[in-house]
């Protein structure tokens, strides 16, 4: 049996085919060049027809390579929103999670702040409901709009020629104003904000099929990309750390837990993810690399082609270093928060010590986020690490292992979200638990 998973990211679109033995038979990455030029810094839109075309090309290439497919599943960038007509055709571009029109001032603060006060839900700029609220206030919702959805739900709908989108709860929650316990949009809260509940997509908590392609390949409901990445990385009795541009630490709860200590997100089969998010993560290390490059240029020296390997090697030799809090992008709770370095002495004021300090700060920030909510959960069996920040930096892997006092396992396959979509499609097709499907996950040697 062969299952295709497609992950529609902001900058790339990836497809993988997984078989029932856990072997990856096909992988294809395409650049997502669907971004539409904007006249202001707050706008970020993508052409959904172009994205759909790339997904169809990946699907066709997978069919050609594998001859047949038993199912296809989708995931992708959450929070964004696309408006559809009554036939399921797009009336707008995708307003991505980076579209910040809701950060513009309204009568009482920003649109997002106003919406949060009205509904009682914390809704950030870039969330689908915040974008819709700002557009409604500006009277810019497309004429004839009958539904909204995420981009991957739109593609899944188009693949099976449906006219009404269906979102898995893991995806729908990313809009905001979503009742996490009841797993539905809060109609009363939306009504207070003047938003029409009928525009919002149908929601299912089941991992199920929603239709078939023209070739008769079943299509499973699209799932959120954070949940897909966890599904494609870590069994439910593990804690997962992911370091990419940002970084996250996630663990699975067997029931709904109301807490302000973590982001609570719907997962599968009645379970929830508790996630702590650090906004900088690997971005902090990239800023340090940029700092070193600028230093070379300041002295009239051309920087070497690759600085990261030298930075990693230098940091491994350091035992005494200052303390860095790498909040270069603020925090979820305080966007205005800044990074800082403390404990600098005449002996640790070196490039090598600074490099080690930034890496240690990345690991410490996630561990602190996890420590806040870990008392709500059973002790984890293992630690799993994913994302390029961990895969490409053995020292960072060791720092996480030391912090959590657990051996760190890295998934063998790096496209975790696409793999998670494939696993969800496998589970829906064969009518098994998604957690049973995770038996196919493979890991590298321990750290």
């Amino acid at each position: 049996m062969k299952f295709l998973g497609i992950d529609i990211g902001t900058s790339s679109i990836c497809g993988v085919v997984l078989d029932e033995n856990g072997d990856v038979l096909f992988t294809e990455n395409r650049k997502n060049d669907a971004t539409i030029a904007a006249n202001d810094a707050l706008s970020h839109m993508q052409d959904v027809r172009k994205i759909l075309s790339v997904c169809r090309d990946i699907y066709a290439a997978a069919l050609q390579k594998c001859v047949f497919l038993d199912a296809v599943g989708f995931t992708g960038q959450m929070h964004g929103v696309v408006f559809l007509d009554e036939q399921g055709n797009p009336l707008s571009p995708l307003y991505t999670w980076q579209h910040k029109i809701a950060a513009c001032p309204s009568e009482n603060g920003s649109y997002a702040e106003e919406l949060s006060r009205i509904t009682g839900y914390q809704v950030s700029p870039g969330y689908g409901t915040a974008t819709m609220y700002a557009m409604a206030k500006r009277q810019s919702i497309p004429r004839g709009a009958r539904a909204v959805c995420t981009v991957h739900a739109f593609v899944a709908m188009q693949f099976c020629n449906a006219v009404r989108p269906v979102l898995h709860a893991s995806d729908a929650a990313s809009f905001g104003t979503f009742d996490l316990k009841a797993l539905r949009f809060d109609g009363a809260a939306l009504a207070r904000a003047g938003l029409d509940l009928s525009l919002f997509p149908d929601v299912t908590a089941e991992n199920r099929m929603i239709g078939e392609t023209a070739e008769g390949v079943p299509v499973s409901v699209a799932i959120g990309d954070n949940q897909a990445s966890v599904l494609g990385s870590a069994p439910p009795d593990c804690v997962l750390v992911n370091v990419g541009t940002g970084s996250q630490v996630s663990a699975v709860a067997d029931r709904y837990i109301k807490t302000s200590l973590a982001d609570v997100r719907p997962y599968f089969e009645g379970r929830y993810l508790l996630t702590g998010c650090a906004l900088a993560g690997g971005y902090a290390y990239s800023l340090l690399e940029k700092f070193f490059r600028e230093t070379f240029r300041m002295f009239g020296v051309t920087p070497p082609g690759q600085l990261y390997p030298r930075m990693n090697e230098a940091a491994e030799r350091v035992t005494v270093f200052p303390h860095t809090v790498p909040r270069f992008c603020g925090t979820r709770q305080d966007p205005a928060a800044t990074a800082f370095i403390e404990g600098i002495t005449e002996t640790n004021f070196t490039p090598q010590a600074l490099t080690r300090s930034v890496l240690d700060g990345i690991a410490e920030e996630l561990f602190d986020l996890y420590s806040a909510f870990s008392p709500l959960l059973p002790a984890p069996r293992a630690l799993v690490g994913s994302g390029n920040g961990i895969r490409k930096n053995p020292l960072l892997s060791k720092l996480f292992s030391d912090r959590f006092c657990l051996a760190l396992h890295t998934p063998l396959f790096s496209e975790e979200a696409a793999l998670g979509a494939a696993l969800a499609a496998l589970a829906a097709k064969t009518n098994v638990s998604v957690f049973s499907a995770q038996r196919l996950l493979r890991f590298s040697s321990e750290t």
Side-chain angles (χ1 to χ4, degrees), residues 54-78:
V54 173
C55 291
R56 290 196 187 282
D57 287 346
I58 291 174
Y59 170 75
L63 274 177
Q64 183 176 16
K65 171 73 174 180
C66 300
V67 182
F68 69 91
L69 297 169
D70 289 277
V72 55
F74 294 91
T75 188
Q77 48 178 303
M78 297 191 294

PDB file of all heavy atoms in Angstrom, residues 54-78:
ATOM      1  N   VAL A  54       0.821  23.297  -8.317  1.00  0.00           N
ATOM      2  CA  VAL A  54       2.028  22.604  -7.855  1.00  0.00           C
ATOM      3  C   VAL A  54       1.658  21.297  -7.160  1.00  0.00           C
ATOM      4  O   VAL A  54       2.298  20.258  -7.374  1.00  0.00           O
ATOM      5  CB  VAL A  54       2.842  23.512  -6.912  1.00  0.00           C
ATOM      6  CG1 VAL A  54       4.005  22.740  -6.288  1.00  0.00           C
ATOM      7  CG2 VAL A  54       3.368  24.732  -7.662  1.00  0.00           C
ATOM      8  N   CYS A  55       0.600  21.321  -6.354  1.00  0.00           N
ATOM      9  CA  CYS A  55       0.167  20.091  -5.667  1.00  0.00           C
ATOM     10  C   CYS A  55      -0.292  19.037  -6.662  1.00  0.00           C
ATOM     11  O   CYS A  55      -0.011  17.842  -6.490  1.00  0.00           O
ATOM     12  CB  CYS A  55      -0.952  20.418  -4.688  1.00  0.00           C
ATOM     13  SG  CYS A  55      -0.433  21.402  -3.266  1.00  0.00           S
ATOM     14  N   ARG A  56      -0.974  19.469  -7.715  1.00  0.00           N
ATOM     15  CA  ARG A  56      -1.392  18.512  -8.752  1.00  0.00           C
ATOM     16  C   ARG A  56      -0.177  17.931  -9.458  1.00  0.00           C
ATOM     17  O   ARG A  56      -0.158  16.728  -9.788  1.00  0.00           O
ATOM     18  CB  ARG A  56      -2.320  19.205  -9.749  1.00  0.00           C
ATOM     19  CG  ARG A  56      -3.698  19.553  -9.185  1.00  0.00           C
ATOM     20  CD  ARG A  56      -4.670  19.877 -10.319  1.00  0.00           C
ATOM     21  NE  ARG A  56      -5.942  20.365  -9.857  1.00  0.00           N
ATOM     22  CZ  ARG A  56      -6.933  19.617  -9.368  1.00  0.00           C
ATOM     23  NH1 ARG A  56      -6.748  18.311  -9.250  1.00  0.00           N
ATOM     24  NH2 ARG A  56      -8.082  20.153  -8.993  1.00  0.00           N
ATOM     25  N   ASP A  57       0.850  18.730  -9.680  1.00  0.00           N
ATOM     26  CA  ASP A  57       2.069  18.228 -10.321  1.00  0.00           C
ATOM     27  C   ASP A  57       2.758  17.190  -9.428  1.00  0.00           C
ATOM     28  O   ASP A  57       3.246  16.158  -9.918  1.00  0.00           O
ATOM     29  CB  ASP A  57       3.024  19.384 -10.600  1.00  0.00           C
ATOM     30  CG  ASP A  57       2.568  20.272 -11.750  1.00  0.00           C
ATOM     31  OD1 ASP A  57       1.662  19.853 -12.502  1.00  0.00           O
ATOM     32  OD2 ASP A  57       3.107  21.388 -11.883  1.00  0.00           O
ATOM     33  N   ILE A  58       2.822  17.455  -8.133  1.00  0.00           N
ATOM     34  CA  ILE A  58       3.438  16.496  -7.209  1.00  0.00           C
ATOM     35  C   ILE A  58       2.638  15.200  -7.173  1.00  0.00           C
ATOM     36  O   ILE A  58       3.200  14.097  -7.188  1.00  0.00           O
ATOM     37  CB  ILE A  58       3.558  17.111  -5.802  1.00  0.00           C
ATOM     38  CG1 ILE A  58       4.598  18.234  -5.807  1.00  0.00           C
ATOM     39  CG2 ILE A  58       3.929  16.048  -4.767  1.00  0.00           C
ATOM     40  CD1 ILE A  58       4.695  19.000  -4.500  1.00  0.00           C
ATOM     41  N   TYR A  59       1.321  15.324  -7.147  1.00  0.00           N
ATOM     42  CA  TYR A  59       0.437  14.154  -7.167  1.00  0.00           C
ATOM     43  C   TYR A  59       0.665  13.337  -8.438  1.00  0.00           C
ATOM     44  O   TYR A  59       0.793  12.098  -8.389  1.00  0.00           O
ATOM     45  CB  TYR A  59      -1.008  14.630  -7.070  1.00  0.00           C
ATOM     46  CG  TYR A  59      -2.063  13.582  -7.306  1.00  0.00           C
ATOM     47  CD1 TYR A  59      -2.354  12.614  -6.350  1.00  0.00           C
ATOM     48  CD2 TYR A  59      -2.808  13.575  -8.490  1.00  0.00           C
ATOM     49  CE1 TYR A  59      -3.346  11.667  -6.560  1.00  0.00           C
ATOM     50  CE2 TYR A  59      -3.798  12.639  -8.706  1.00  0.00           C
ATOM     51  CZ  TYR A  59      -4.065  11.677  -7.743  1.00  0.00           C
ATOM     52  OH  TYR A  59      -5.043  10.747  -7.961  1.00  0.00           O
ATOM     53  N   ALA A  60       0.757  14.011  -9.579  1.00  0.00           N
ATOM     54  CA  ALA A  60       0.974  13.316 -10.852  1.00  0.00           C
ATOM     55  C   ALA A  60       2.334  12.618 -10.865  1.00  0.00           C
ATOM     56  O   ALA A  60       2.461  11.484 -11.345  1.00  0.00           O
ATOM     57  CB  ALA A  60       0.865  14.305 -12.011  1.00  0.00           C
ATOM     58  N   ALA A  61       3.356  13.301 -10.327  1.00  0.00           N
ATOM     59  CA  ALA A  61       4.692  12.700 -10.277  1.00  0.00           C
ATOM     60  C   ALA A  61       4.707  11.481  -9.361  1.00  0.00           C
ATOM     61  O   ALA A  61       5.366  10.475  -9.655  1.00  0.00           O
ATOM     62  CB  ALA A  61       5.705  13.738  -9.799  1.00  0.00           C
ATOM     63  N   ALA A  62       3.960  11.552  -8.251  1.00  0.00           N
ATOM     64  CA  ALA A  62       3.885  10.408  -7.341  1.00  0.00           C
ATOM     65  C   ALA A  62       3.182   9.230  -7.998  1.00  0.00           C
ATOM     66  O   ALA A  62       3.600   8.072  -7.857  1.00  0.00           O
ATOM     67  CB  ALA A  62       3.167  10.817  -6.048  1.00  0.00           C
ATOM     68  N   LEU A  63       2.118   9.516  -8.737  1.00  0.00           N
ATOM     69  CA  LEU A  63       1.418   8.444  -9.454  1.00  0.00           C
ATOM     70  C   LEU A  63       2.313   7.798 -10.496  1.00  0.00           C
ATOM     71  O   LEU A  63       2.327   6.579 -10.668  1.00  0.00           O
ATOM     72  CB  LEU A  63       0.156   8.998 -10.121  1.00  0.00           C
ATOM     73  CG  LEU A  63      -1.120   9.068  -9.276  1.00  0.00           C
ATOM     74  CD1 LEU A  63      -2.244   9.708 -10.084  1.00  0.00           C
ATOM     75  CD2 LEU A  63      -1.541   7.673  -8.810  1.00  0.00           C
ATOM     76  N   GLN A  64       3.065   8.639 -11.199  1.00  0.00           N
ATOM     77  CA  GLN A  64       3.958   8.107 -12.233  1.00  0.00           C
ATOM     78  C   GLN A  64       5.043   7.230 -11.616  1.00  0.00           C
ATOM     79  O   GLN A  64       5.386   6.168 -12.151  1.00  0.00           O
ATOM     80  CB  GLN A  64       4.588   9.254 -13.014  1.00  0.00           C
ATOM     81  CG  GLN A  64       5.476   8.792 -14.160  1.00  0.00           C
ATOM     82  CD  GLN A  64       6.000   9.960 -14.978  1.00  0.00           C
ATOM     83  OE1 GLN A  64       5.956  11.109 -14.545  1.00  0.00           O
ATOM     84  NE2 GLN A  64       6.500   9.680 -16.170  1.00  0.00           N
ATOM     85  N   LYS A  65       5.568   7.652 -10.470  1.00  0.00           N
ATOM     86  CA  LYS A  65       6.631   6.909  -9.811  1.00  0.00           C
ATOM     87  C   LYS A  65       6.114   5.613  -9.194  1.00  0.00           C
ATOM     88  O   LYS A  65       6.755   4.555  -9.280  1.00  0.00           O
ATOM     89  CB  LYS A  65       7.268   7.786  -8.729  1.00  0.00           C
ATOM     90  CG  LYS A  65       8.236   7.092  -7.808  1.00  0.00           C
ATOM     91  CD  LYS A  65       9.547   6.769  -8.485  1.00  0.00           C
ATOM     92  CE  LYS A  65      10.545   6.201  -7.498  1.00  0.00           C
ATOM     93  NZ  LYS A  65      11.839   5.876  -8.128  1.00  0.00           N
ATOM     94  N   CYS A  66       4.949   5.689  -8.548  1.00  0.00           N
ATOM     95  CA  CYS A  66       4.451   4.568  -7.749  1.00  0.00           C
ATOM     96  C   CYS A  66       3.354   3.761  -8.427  1.00  0.00           C
ATOM     97  O   CYS A  66       2.877   2.770  -7.862  1.00  0.00           O
ATOM     98  CB  CYS A  66       3.944   5.093  -6.405  1.00  0.00           C
ATOM     99  SG  CYS A  66       5.216   5.929  -5.437  1.00  0.00           S
ATOM    100  N   VAL A  67       2.899   4.202  -9.605  1.00  0.00           N
ATOM    101  CA  VAL A  67       1.878   3.529 -10.406  1.00  0.00           C
ATOM    102  C   VAL A  67       0.477   3.714  -9.826  1.00  0.00           C
ATOM    103  O   VAL A  67      -0.465   4.031 -10.538  1.00  0.00           O
ATOM    104  CB  VAL A  67       2.176   2.020 -10.597  1.00  0.00           C
ATOM    105  CG1 VAL A  67       1.123   1.377 -11.477  1.00  0.00           C
ATOM    106  CG2 VAL A  67       3.571   1.827 -11.170  1.00  0.00           C
ATOM    107  N   PHE A  68       0.327   3.502  -8.534  1.00  0.00           N
ATOM    108  CA  PHE A  68      -0.988   3.715  -7.915  1.00  0.00           C
ATOM    109  C   PHE A  68      -0.770   4.247  -6.504  1.00  0.00           C
ATOM    110  O   PHE A  68       0.301   4.110  -5.907  1.00  0.00           O
ATOM    111  CB  PHE A  68      -1.804   2.416  -7.872  1.00  0.00           C
ATOM    112  CG  PHE A  68      -1.251   1.398  -6.910  1.00  0.00           C
ATOM    113  CD1 PHE A  68      -1.678   1.352  -5.590  1.00  0.00           C
ATOM    114  CD2 PHE A  68      -0.284   0.488  -7.326  1.00  0.00           C
ATOM    115  CE1 PHE A  68      -1.157   0.428  -4.703  1.00  0.00           C
ATOM    116  CE2 PHE A  68       0.243  -0.443  -6.444  1.00  0.00           C
ATOM    117  CZ  PHE A  68      -0.194  -0.478  -5.123  1.00  0.00           C
ATOM    118  N   LEU A  69      -1.824   4.858  -5.938  1.00  0.00           N
ATOM    119  CA  LEU A  69      -1.809   5.351  -4.561  1.00  0.00           C
ATOM    120  C   LEU A  69      -3.076   4.874  -3.865  1.00  0.00           C
ATOM    121  O   LEU A  69      -4.146   4.840  -4.472  1.00  0.00           O
ATOM    122  CB  LEU A  69      -1.741   6.880  -4.521  1.00  0.00           C
ATOM    123  CG  LEU A  69      -0.490   7.541  -5.104  1.00  0.00           C
ATOM    124  CD1 LEU A  69      -0.698   9.049  -5.232  1.00  0.00           C
ATOM    125  CD2 LEU A  69       0.729   7.259  -4.215  1.00  0.00           C
ATOM    126  N   ASP A  70      -2.954   4.532  -2.589  1.00  0.00           N
ATOM    127  CA  ASP A  70      -4.109   4.084  -1.829  1.00  0.00           C
ATOM    128  C   ASP A  70      -4.850   5.230  -1.160  1.00  0.00           C
ATOM    129  O   ASP A  70      -6.034   5.093  -0.836  1.00  0.00           O
ATOM    130  CB  ASP A  70      -3.682   3.062  -0.777  1.00  0.00           C
ATOM    131  CG  ASP A  70      -3.279   1.739  -1.426  1.00  0.00           C
ATOM    132  OD1 ASP A  70      -4.178   0.928  -1.717  1.00  0.00           O
ATOM    133  OD2 ASP A  70      -2.079   1.539  -1.656  1.00  0.00           O
ATOM    134  N   ALA A  71      -4.169   6.362  -0.938  1.00  0.00           N
ATOM    135  CA  ALA A  71      -4.813   7.531  -0.349  1.00  0.00           C
ATOM    136  C   ALA A  71      -3.844   8.701  -0.404  1.00  0.00           C
ATOM    137  O   ALA A  71      -2.626   8.513  -0.552  1.00  0.00           O
ATOM    138  CB  ALA A  71      -5.243   7.264   1.092  1.00  0.00           C
ATOM    139  N   VAL A  72      -4.388   9.907  -0.287  1.00  0.00           N
ATOM    140  CA  VAL A  72      -3.572  11.116  -0.235  1.00  0.00           C
ATOM    141  C   VAL A  72      -4.084  11.999   0.900  1.00  0.00           C
ATOM    142  O   VAL A  72      -5.294  12.123   1.112  1.00  0.00           O
ATOM    143  CB  VAL A  72      -3.589  11.877  -1.587  1.00  0.00           C
ATOM    144  CG1 VAL A  72      -5.004  12.199  -2.031  1.00  0.00           C
ATOM    145  CG2 VAL A  72      -2.756  13.161  -1.508  1.00  0.00           C
ATOM    146  N   GLY A  73      -3.143  12.567   1.655  1.00  0.00           N
ATOM    147  CA  GLY A  73      -3.493  13.458   2.751  1.00  0.00           C
ATOM    148  C   GLY A  73      -2.763  14.780   2.613  1.00  0.00           C
ATOM    149  O   GLY A  73      -1.715  14.862   1.954  1.00  0.00           O
ATOM    150  N   PHE A  74      -3.298  15.814   3.247  1.00  0.00           N
ATOM    151  CA  PHE A  74      -2.743  17.165   3.113  1.00  0.00           C
ATOM    152  C   PHE A  74      -2.554  17.823   4.479  1.00  0.00           C
ATOM    153  O   PHE A  74      -3.308  17.585   5.422  1.00  0.00           O
ATOM    154  CB  PHE A  74      -3.676  18.049   2.280  1.00  0.00           C
ATOM    155  CG  PHE A  74      -3.805  17.624   0.851  1.00  0.00           C
ATOM    156  CD1 PHE A  74      -4.798  16.737   0.465  1.00  0.00           C
ATOM    157  CD2 PHE A  74      -2.928  18.093  -0.118  1.00  0.00           C
ATOM    158  CE1 PHE A  74      -4.924  16.335  -0.847  1.00  0.00           C
ATOM    159  CE2 PHE A  74      -3.042  17.692  -1.429  1.00  0.00           C
ATOM    160  CZ  PHE A  74      -4.043  16.814  -1.804  1.00  0.00           C
ATOM    161  N   THR A  75      -1.552  18.663   4.546  1.00  0.00           N
ATOM    162  CA  THR A  75      -1.346  19.572   5.651  1.00  0.00           C
ATOM    163  C   THR A  75      -0.718  20.838   5.098  1.00  0.00           C
ATOM    164  O   THR A  75      -0.430  20.922   3.907  1.00  0.00           O
ATOM    165  CB  THR A  75      -0.466  18.941   6.753  1.00  0.00           C
ATOM    166  OG1 THR A  75      -0.451  19.802   7.895  1.00  0.00           O
ATOM    167  CG2 THR A  75       0.960  18.730   6.263  1.00  0.00           C
ATOM    168  N   GLY A  76      -0.510  21.825   5.949  1.00  0.00           N
ATOM    169  CA  GLY A  76       0.082  23.060   5.445  1.00  0.00           C
ATOM    170  C   GLY A  76      -0.001  24.190   6.442  1.00  0.00           C
ATOM    171  O   GLY A  76      -0.442  24.025   7.586  1.00  0.00           O
ATOM    172  N   GLN A  77       0.428  25.353   5.965  1.00  0.00           N
ATOM    173  CA  GLN A  77       0.503  26.541   6.804  1.00  0.00           C
ATOM    174  C   GLN A  77      -0.870  26.902   7.371  1.00  0.00           C
ATOM    175  O   GLN A  77      -1.828  27.116   6.641  1.00  0.00           O
ATOM    176  CB  GLN A  77       1.068  27.700   5.995  1.00  0.00           C
ATOM    177  CG  GLN A  77       0.424  27.880   4.629  1.00  0.00           C
ATOM    178  CD  GLN A  77       0.969  29.067   3.868  1.00  0.00           C
ATOM    179  OE1 GLN A  77       0.945  30.194   4.332  1.00  0.00           O
ATOM    180  NE2 GLN A  77       1.462  28.813   2.670  1.00  0.00           N
ATOM    181  N   MET A  78      -0.951  26.945   8.684  1.00  0.00           N
ATOM    182  CA  MET A  78      -2.225  27.217   9.343  1.00  0.00           C
ATOM    183  C   MET A  78      -2.449  28.724   9.483  1.00  0.00           C
ATOM    184  O   MET A  78      -1.644  29.532   9.033  1.00  0.00           O
ATOM    185  CB  MET A  78      -2.264  26.553  10.711  1.00  0.00           C
ATOM    186  CG  MET A  78      -2.173  25.035  10.647  1.00  0.00           C
ATOM    187  SD  MET A  78      -2.544  24.223  12.223  1.00  0.00           S
ATOM    188  CE  MET A  78      -1.193  24.771  13.243  1.00  0.00           C
TER     189      MET A  78
END
